[in-house]
Amino acid sequence: MKPSDQDLTRQDEDISSAEFETEERQDYRFGNWPEIAGLAFTIFVVWLTFAFTG
């Protein structure tokens, strides 16, 4: 189901708690890998910064 533009601009305060919980469950299907990948990328960028700036 593709969200409409109206759905994309709704704030958390504009939706009911049931809708919010449903949305949170849908977001969880990715698991924790985006956070782990982001942390690994951040560590890599920090390492690059210190490795090439002395």
Side-chain angles (χ1 to χ4, degrees):
M1 179 167 98
K2 184 177 179 186
S4 68
D5 288 340
Q6 182 64 27
D7 290 334
L8 294 175
T9 58
R10 292 173 67 191
Q11 299 296 314
D12 289 345
E13 295 83 17
D14 295 337
I15 63 175
S16 69
S17 62
E19 284 180 296
F20 180 77
E21 290 299 324
T22 302
E23 184 179 307
E24 287 296 307
R25 277 194 298 281
Q26 288 175 347
D27 290 342
Y28 190 71
R29 69 176 173 233
F30 293 111
N32 290 331
W33 73 264
E35 287 85 1
I36 295 168
L39 179 62
F41 180 74
T42 302
I43 291 169
F44 176 70
V45 169
V46 169
W47 177 81
L48 282 177
T49 301
F50 286 110
F52 292 109
T53 58

